[in-house]
Amino acid sequence: MTNYYSEELIQSVIEANDIVDIASGYMTLKRVGNSFKGKCPFHNEKTASFTVSREKQLYHCFGCGAGGNVITFIMEMEKLPFVDALKFLAARVNMILPEKQNQQEDHQAYEKKKRLYEMHREAANYYYKVLKTERPAREYLLQRGISQETIREFGVGYASEDWSRLTDFLNTKGFTMTEMLDSGLILASEKKRHYDRFRSRIMFPIVNPRGQIVGFGGRLMAAGQNGPKYLNSPETPIFSKSYELYNLNHCKNFLEEGRLFIVEGYMDVISLYEKGIKNTVAALGTAFTPFHGKILERYASEVIIAFDGDSAGKSATEKAMNILKKTSLNVKILNLPINEDPDSFVQKYGQQGFKDFVAKALTIVEYELELLKSHNDLSQTDGRLRYGNEAIKVLRQLETSVEIDYYSKIVAGETGINQEVIRREVLRSKTRSDNSSQLVELTPSEAAPLKIPRAYKKAQELAIRFCLKTPDIIDEFPMDYLTDPFYKDLLRTLSDKRKTGIRFEVNQIMSHFEDSEEVKKIVEFMMNEDEVSRSDYQDALEIMNRFYNEAQLDRLSEQIKRESTNGNDDEVARLTNQFIEIKKMMKENGRH
């Protein structure tokens, strides 16, 4: 998708969003000379080292190295992928980004989504106001321990029992029946009569990470009411259950320790929030998807699955756990009692009781072993043996010998099987598994990369900085002198841009580099205020030339030795002539 938008369009979004204005919305900046400084939002620091340049439209932290343009800033602060960050910034300045190849279709799709966002915002305001007039609904929330402040924070509302009250309200706001039906908030009967989807329900607005209301979840207040306990909005052009997580818009601001809880329901999230546990999201229903896992990787380093303690919750836990196994996240499971959910548990035991229980959260391996024990009678010999064999399969997923030793000891204690026997079987199984895939063996030259002298590295960086500030010399630059493929790619990209004849800003090329470390390096070069003169550049070229030629001599020496061993005299003679020519040139240049 990043390649879908033209560079001109991306640059127009960048130019329409001043980075100082954007950064000021997240932190306090103070003008210092031509730049602005503040404490870095990406790491803890006492002295401000975060610099924002309005002239260059870049930011750079001289403490942690974070850097980029306005798009990368929003990607980091809002934890959004590139395209979503671009849309976030485009929406901020009322720009239309294309969705299809046809311009008319682009505009129509944009307008349709815009109207749906507006309708959901109006519906949320409507439900919120209705709640104020419905005493039973307010008392229900009060009995559940939900304060007025939390109701306001989450925009909780109420859908009355009337069949068409929302329909009538949206009609007064100028929305057409076609738009209402497209939103899923209004339904049509077989007789073409229109009625509200949500009736007699507590309403929870679902807000995406960009702060837009995209759908609703409705909960019945009493068990005896008709219909499912929870009812969600249907799939629409702006809403998909597989992509959204309830409370992610709030939760992302409370992840100082990188930990996040996943629960099942809206009330679980709100009850925990009420008790001061604000780093919580809910899958919409129990349908946790691989995409949810990818989203959570952007925000957290550790997730704790805290689903209900009943059989449905256990089943959902296993599904979510198997998805999260494939992510880089550290995953733990809160094994709640069978009749408890996070809402009821925190109401009963309070914040500290919940935190104490969280301290006992199980690792994935511990949870899987607990499941195995529940399916095997460990008081019987055959049950212990079966459990031991199945446990060995679980332990095969462990990466380190320390983990294998630790869990082997646990299984040994539960089964009476010797720990060393269990450990040996785990390692044997792992060896068979590892050997099933062919590994490519590196050659000695690949295994031991060339060591680059510090002076050579410094000369390359200085030359790159000069090229970024003086792009017209790039076509003459000796690319062979560069040892880092990233530097070559950077200069070639700039050279290709110049050849198009289209005006471009150097910071525009950052969209060509997906590696965050490479983007940081470009910003570091651009934000370096130390002057690099043409004389400095020429000195750098001479240093690179010397080291490049010395590396060539080393390479030729190795080749000459190898060909001599093989008895290839003609090749030895050719390589020796090359060696002598390089030595002669270096001597003429006064280097040796």
Side-chain angles (χ1 to χ4, degrees):
M1 277 295 288
T2 53
N3 295 328
Y4 178 78
Y5 297 112
S6 69
E7 292 184 20
E8 290 76 18
L9 181 60
I10 293 170
Q11 188 60 22
S12 66
V13 173
I14 293 173
E15 291 173 353
N17 287 273
D18 179 66
I19 193 164
V20 175
D21 292 342
I22 294 292
S24 296
Y26 295 87
M27 58 190 295
T28 301
L29 291 174
K30 183 179 179 181
R31 180 184 282 277
V32 179
N34 293 327
S35 300
F36 295 80
K37 284 194 172 182
K39 290 185 179 179
C40 181
F42 305 119
H43 82 289
N44 294 324
E45 61 176 4
K46 295 181 180 178
T47 305
S49 60
F50 189 84
T51 302
V52 184
S53 170
R54 177 165 274 152
E55 177 189 1
K56 298 171 183 175
Q57 286 297 302
L58 296 172
Y59 67 91
H60 178 64
C61 176
F62 291 91
C64 70
N69 58 15
V70 68
I71 297 177
T72 57
F73 184 82
I74 289 299
M75 287 172 69
E76 291 294 327
M77 294 303 297
E78 296 290 338
K79 304 298 181 187
L80 296 173
F82 180 88
V83 171
D84 285 351
L86 193 68
K87 290 179 179 179
F88 179 100
L89 290 167
R92 181 178 178 270
V93 292
N94 296 316
M95 288 180 64
I96 298 173
L97 293 182
E99 298 288 348
K100 299 181 177 66
Q101 296 297 329
N102 183 285
Q103 189 172 1
Q104 184 178 355
E105 288 181 3
D106 291 344
H107 186 72
Q108 290 173 347
Y110 172 83
E111 286 298 324
K112 182 176 182 178
K113 286 186 176 182
K114 183 179 176 182
R115 291 286 286 173
L116 287 174
Y117 288 132
E118 290 173 359
M119 189 188 309
H120 279 76
R121 180 172 52 82
E122 290 287 358
N125 288 334
Y126 161 79
Y127 289 134
Y128 182 74
K129 290 177 181 177
V130 170
L131 178 65
K132 294 181 179 180
T133 67
E134 295 285 343
R135 185 174 176 179
R138 294 199 314 276
E139 289 180 348
Y140 169 81
L141 291 171
L142 185 64
Q143 290 168 2
R144 298 292 298 265
I146 309 302
S147 67
Q148 183 57 45
E149 182 182 352
T150 300
I151 289 172
R152 183 169 57 251
E153 184 71 26
F154 284 85
V156 179
Y158 184 71
S160 69
E161 62 183 355
D162 303 284
W163 281 83
S164 61
R165 196 166 164 186
L166 177 65
T167 307
D168 296 339
F169 170 79
L170 293 176
N171 186 51
T172 65
K173 292 295 180 178
F175 294 101
T176 66
M177 187 53 64
T178 299
E179 290 175 325
M180 292 186 223
L181 292 171
D182 287 342
S183 74
L185 297 173
I186 309 302
L187 301 174
S189 68
E190 293 180 0
K191 296 181 179 180
K192 303 300 181 184
R193 298 182 66 176
H194 300 104
Y195 60 96
D196 300 352
R197 172 183 290 271
F198 298 101
R199 300 183 307 282
S200 300
R201 291 177 181 271
I202 300 292
M203 297 298 293
F204 304 94
I206 300 167
V207 186
N208 69 17
R210 299 192 294 276
Q212 299 161 311
I213 298 172
V214 294
F216 291 92
R219 187 193 194 283
L220 296 176
M221 291 189 295
Q225 289 180 265
N226 292 327
K229 180 180 177 181
Y230 281 103
L231 181 66
N232 289 320
S233 287
E235 300 280 315
T236 71
I238 64 171
F239 176 67
S240 172
K241 286 192 294 184
S242 299
Y243 287 77
E244 303 295 343
L245 287 164
Y246 182 66
N247 194 45
L248 188 56
N249 59 310
H250 285 138
C251 178
K252 64 185 182 182
N253 301 317
F254 300 99
L255 297 174
E256 292 85 357
E257 297 178 358
R259 172 186 281 184
L260 182 149
F261 292 94
I262 312 170
V263 298
E264 285 188 50
Y266 305 102
M267 286 303 299
D268 293 323
V269 168
I270 292 177
S271 291
L272 289 171
Y273 187 94
E274 183 73 45
K275 298 296 183 182
I277 301 161
K278 301 181 179 182
N279 51 333
T280 307
V281 297
L284 304 176
T286 55
F288 191 84
T289 69
F291 191 85
H292 289 144
K294 290 184 180 296
I295 291 174
L296 294 182
E297 276 188 296
R298 298 182 205 147
Y299 293 87
S301 55
E302 178 178 276
V303 296
I304 298 179
I305 303 171
F307 288 170
D308 297 357
D310 59 16
S311 59
K314 300 292 185 189
S315 175
T317 294
E318 285 191 58
K319 291 176 182 177
M321 179 183 72
N322 289 328
I323 288 171
L324 291 169
K325 268 185 190 178
K326 299 173 184 176
T327 69
S328 61
L329 294 161
N330 182 41
V331 183
K332 290 187 176 180
I333 296 97
L334 205 59
N335 203 5
L336 287 168
I338 193 166
N339 294 320
E340 299 281 7
D341 56 35
D343 174 22
S344 65
F345 193 93
V346 80
Q347 296 291 352
K348 191 180 295 184
Y349 300 104
Q351 183 195 71
Q352 192 56 51
F354 185 80
K355 287 185 175 180
D356 291 342
F357 196 71
V358 168
K360 302 173 185 176
L362 304 175
T363 64
I364 286 179
V365 173
E366 286 172 332
Y367 186 77
E368 289 181 324
L369 292 178
E370 287 295 318
L371 286 178
L372 290 180
K373 282 194 284 186
S374 68
H375 298 145
N376 292 283
D377 184 358
L378 299 192
S379 68
Q380 301 295 319
T381 301
D382 59 345
R384 290 194 297 273
L385 289 173
R386 188 164 50 249
Y387 167 71
N389 284 319
E390 291 174 351
I392 287 169
K393 296 176 184 177
V394 170
L395 302 193
R396 282 174 56 187
Q397 67 189 278
L398 298 173
E399 298 293 333
T400 68
S401 58
V402 173
E403 291 176 304
I404 293 171
D405 280 351
Y406 176 80
Y407 287 109
S408 294
K409 185 177 181 180
I410 291 175
V411 175
E414 292 167 335
T415 61
I417 302 170
N418 185 280
Q419 178 186 349
E420 191 54 39
V421 171
I422 294 172
R423 183 179 179 278
R424 188 169 62 244
E425 286 300 314
V426 171
L427 291 174
R428 182 187 298 172
S429 298
K430 281 179 67 64
T431 302
R432 283 199 300 267
S433 177
D434 292 343
N435 288 341
S436 65
S437 59
Q438 294 295 316
L439 297 179
V440 178
E441 210 171 295
L442 292 176
T443 64
S445 60
E446 290 173 317
L450 179 67
K451 289 185 177 179
I452 310 301
R454 188 173 180 181
Y456 195 0
K457 286 182 179 179
K458 191 172 181 181
Q460 290 181 74
E461 291 183 358
L462 190 145
I464 293 289
R465 282 171 51 206
F466 188 77
C467 288
L468 288 173
K469 294 175 182 178
T470 318
D472 58 312
I473 68 165
I474 292 173
D475 293 341
E476 304 168 7
F477 189 89
M479 293 287 189
D480 288 344
Y481 287 2
L482 299 174
T483 58
D484 191 328
F486 161 60
Y487 291 164
K488 293 181 181 180
D489 195 14
L490 175 59
L491 292 191
R492 286 190 183 116
T493 301
L494 282 168
S495 177
D496 291 343
K497 286 288 163 200
R498 290 188 70 254
K499 289 173 183 175
T500 63
I502 300 172
R503 183 190 71 83
F504 76 98
E505 300 293 335
V506 174
N507 69 12
Q508 185 177 347
I509 65 168
M510 283 188 283
S511 62
H512 287 263
F513 298 88
E514 295 184 1
D515 189 309
S516 61
E517 293 304 316
E518 293 178 348
V519 172
K520 287 178 184 177
K521 198 66 182 175
I522 296 172
V523 174
E524 185 182 327
F525 289 147
M526 294 291 294
M527 294 289 279
N528 193 318
E529 297 296 337
D530 294 339
E531 185 63 32
V532 182
S533 66
R534 187 168 288 273
S535 174
D536 294 329
Y537 172 65
Q538 291 298 333
D539 289 343
L541 286 180
E542 288 184 18
I543 292 170
M544 287 190 288
N545 176 269
R546 187 183 81 212
F547 281 114
Y548 174 74
N549 284 327
E550 287 177 352
Q552 290 290 88
L553 291 177
D554 289 342
R555 180 181 60 81
L556 286 168
S557 293
E558 289 296 320
Q559 288 181 309
I560 289 169
K561 289 179 185 177
R562 188 164 57 249
E563 296 301 335
S564 294
T565 303
N566 295 334
N568 194 342
D569 294 339
D570 291 342
E571 186 64 13
V572 168
R574 188 183 70 81
L575 294 170
T576 301
N577 286 334
Q578 287 184 20
F579 186 92
I580 293 170
E581 285 298 319
I582 293 174
K583 289 284 285 186
K584 181 180 177 182
M585 180 182 64
M586 292 176 70
K587 190 173 183 178
E588 289 173 353
N589 291 337
R591 294 299 175 185
H592 275 56

